[in-house]
């Protein structure tokens, strides 16, 4: 029996377009900072990819700074607060790469559906005359909840703030236009959209005085020192182009997700689906099975060769109660019984059936 991969929010398979672009780049030698023909050829791979990534989020290529990961881009964005004397506000359900990059930040609460409490955000912005840098994840990686980015940007800008959005789980899954959203800074990651691991981007509005985390070279307009990962960036660009072309197909995954959720609720009514009442991205479902800790569920799924997760994959393989679900009002016990199922562009109805077969065996052990 072959394995079933339902952990696309952790990482997506490498798209064939990305693989081809990477192999083409690796067939050429040259440092993209060199002025000879070999270097210019390497530079062309980088700049073509910059155009492709820019098109994915509706910006100019000059707004893109390539980084080593989405985590690095988040860290660089948040570092701007200290560089420009701004305080930091972050959503309570942010990814660890935001929460741990700004441990002293004020957390903005969310409601029971996982949406940012707008009234609380306004109060927190107004309580101090010092302008803020606010970081709000566009799409939550555990629940798939989509934040109202335009409204949040207006609230932040009304108080003179900058809005950064970790859009790692949004790009390629729903239309992203940084200008329409009103975001000042945006984080992207290649491997979430079928590009290679180890490549990301920080997108900055031209009016934002971006500052480098890494110094020691003139690469990326002096915004990120170090020779560019040419092959990885080429793969990122090709994946971005493919993701943009496939947006309509990705939206169709909602039918599979809804069939999955309807089935688990019918088979075991105590099941909870956090965030189900809020707008969500099409591919993500968070399922709480009361009484069955997530680590036990993951072991059972793994034995059945079904790959799901217990939330973010950025915690060194540790399974613990989800801070996202606790921020949404679930207690620690329930938050520790949640798994995440995330679908991708080649997920099928047969995949849902196979997941449900394994899940039903796990749920059957729970006393009713």
């Amino acid at each position: 029996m072959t394995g079933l991969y339902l952990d696309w929010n952790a990482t997506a398979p490498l798209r064939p377009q990305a693989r081809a672009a990477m192999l083409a780049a690796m067939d050429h030698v040259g440092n993209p900072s060199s002025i000879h023909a070999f270097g210019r050829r390497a530079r062309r791979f980088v700049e073509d990819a910059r155009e492709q990534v820019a098109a994915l989020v509706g910006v100019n290529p000059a707004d893109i700074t390539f980084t080593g990961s989405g985590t690095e881009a988040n860290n660089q964005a948040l570092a701007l607060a200290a560089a420009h004397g701004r305080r930091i506000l972050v959503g309570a359900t942010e990814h660890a790469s935001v929460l741990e990059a700004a441990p002293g930040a004020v957390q903005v609460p969310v409601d029971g559906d996982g949406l940012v409490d707008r009234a609380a955000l306004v109060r927190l912005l107004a309580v101090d005359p010092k302008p803020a840098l606010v970081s709000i994840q566009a799409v939550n990686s555990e629940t798939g909840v989509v934040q109202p980015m335009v409204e949040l940007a207006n609230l932040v800008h009304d108080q003179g703030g900058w809005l950064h959005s970790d859009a790692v789980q949004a790009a390629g899954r729903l239309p992203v236009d940084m200008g329409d959203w009103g975001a000042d800074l945006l984080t992207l990651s290649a491997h979430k959209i079928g590009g290679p691991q180890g490549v990301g981007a920080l997108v900055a509005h031209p009016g934002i005085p971006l500052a480098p985390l890494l110094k020691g070279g003139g690469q990326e307009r002096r915004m990120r020192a170090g020779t560019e990962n040419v092959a990885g960036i080429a793969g990122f660009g090709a994946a971005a182009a493919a993701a943009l072309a496939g947006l309509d197909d990705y939206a169709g995954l909602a039918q599979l997700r809804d069939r999955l959720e309807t089935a688990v609720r019918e088979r075991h009514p105590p099941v909870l689906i956090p965030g189900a009442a809020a707008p969500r991205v099409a591919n993500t479902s968070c399922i709480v099975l009361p009484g069955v800790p997530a680590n036990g569920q993951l072991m059972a799924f793994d034995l059945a060769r079904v790959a799901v997760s217990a939330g973010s994959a950025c915690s060194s393989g540790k399974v613990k109660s989800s801070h996202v679900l606790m921020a949404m009002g679930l207690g620690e016990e329930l938050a520790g019984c949640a798994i995440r199922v995330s679908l991708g562009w080649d997920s099928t109805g047969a995949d849902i059936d196979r997941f449900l077969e394994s899940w039903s065996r796990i749920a059957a052990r729970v006393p009713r």
Side-chain angles (χ1 to χ4, degrees):
M1 179 174 62
T2 58
L4 172 59
Y5 190 74
L6 297 177
D7 199 15
W8 290 68
N9 284 8
T11 197
L14 189 67
R15 293 179 186 264
Q17 300 94 325
R19 184 188 301 275
M22 294 174 72
L23 290 173
M26 286 189 286
D27 280 340
H28 292 271
V29 63
N31 187 315
S33 295
S34 298
I35 63 173
H36 48 59
F38 294 95
R40 294 197 303 273
R41 173 62 172 164
R43 172 56 54 190
R44 187 71 263 153
F45 283 113
V46 172
E47 297 311 319
D48 286 349
R50 200 184 308 276
E51 292 179 4
Q52 292 170 311
V53 173
L56 180 62
V57 293
V59 301
N60 293 317
D63 300 337
I64 302 287
T65 297
F66 287 118
T67 65
S69 64
T71 292
E72 181 187 320
N74 281 342
N75 276 255
Q76 186 172 0
L78 293 169
L80 287 179
H84 298 284
R86 289 176 175 256
R87 58 200 175 99
I88 302 177
L89 277 61
V90 301
T93 55
E94 295 301 302
H95 189 270
S97 62
V98 167
L99 296 177
E100 294 184 20
V106 174
Q107 291 195 11
V108 183
V110 299
D111 63 21
D113 293 322
L115 295 168
V116 167
D117 184 331
R118 273 86 102 195
L121 174 60
V122 171
R123 289 195 302 270
L124 292 170
L125 286 167
V127 74
D128 189 327
K130 181 187 291 187
L133 188 158
V134 182
S135 186
I136 302 293
Q137 191 177 44
V139 171
N140 187 267
S141 63
E142 297 186 30
T143 62
V145 168
V146 179
Q147 298 293 342
M149 297 309 300
V150 175
E151 182 181 351
L152 295 175
N154 289 335
L155 295 176
V156 171
H157 293 156
D158 284 346
Q159 298 294 328
W162 293 338
L163 178 64
H164 164 253
S165 181
D166 177 349
V168 161
Q169 298 289 347
R173 295 174 186 173
L174 50 78
V176 176
D177 188 303
M178 185 173 172
D180 287 349
W181 282 8
D184 302 290
L185 296 153
L186 206 69
T187 290
L188 303 173
S189 179
H191 75 103
K192 305 296 187 181
I193 60 171
Q197 297 170 354
V199 186
L202 179 60
V203 192
H205 185 277
I208 299 298
L210 200 60
L213 272 184
L214 302 180
K215 302 177 182 180
Q219 294 86 357
E220 295 301 292
R221 303 173 310 285
R222 302 198 72 83
M223 289 299 105
R224 205 265 186 178
T227 301
E228 291 94 340
N229 175 1
V230 177
I233 289 171
F236 190 1
L244 182 59
L247 277 176
D248 290 343
D249 292 337
Y250 221 100
L253 291 174
Q255 296 180 357
L256 295 180
R257 179 204 63 196
D258 293 347
R259 180 156 77 84
L260 182 155
E261 292 180 355
T262 297
V264 297
R265 283 174 164 142
E266 289 176 348
R267 297 181 189 195
H268 194 79
V271 157
L272 303 174
I273 311 289
R280 287 184 297 161
V281 74
N283 79 313
T284 305
S285 182
C286 180
I287 303 170
V288 178
L289 181 58
V292 185
N295 58 350
Q297 295 185 56
L298 295 186
M299 291 173 63
F301 277 115
D302 194 46
L303 288 171
R305 303 200 65 182
V306 177
V308 296
S309 74
S312 171
C314 299
S315 54
S316 301
K318 298 177 182 177
V319 177
K320 56 185 178 180
S321 297
S322 165
H323 75 281
V324 170
L325 301 186
M326 288 192 285
M328 292 170 64
L330 276 72
E332 185 171 1
E333 183 174 350
L334 283 176
C337 294
I339 63 166
R340 178 188 69 193
V341 180
S342 47
L343 311 176
W345 56 78
D346 65 358
S347 296
T348 66
D351 295 339
I352 302 303
D353 293 338
R354 181 168 166 186
F355 167 84
L356 290 170
E357 180 182 348
S358 296
W359 185 88
S360 296
R361 287 197 296 267
I362 298 168
R365 305 170 193 165
V366 183
R368 302 220 179 187

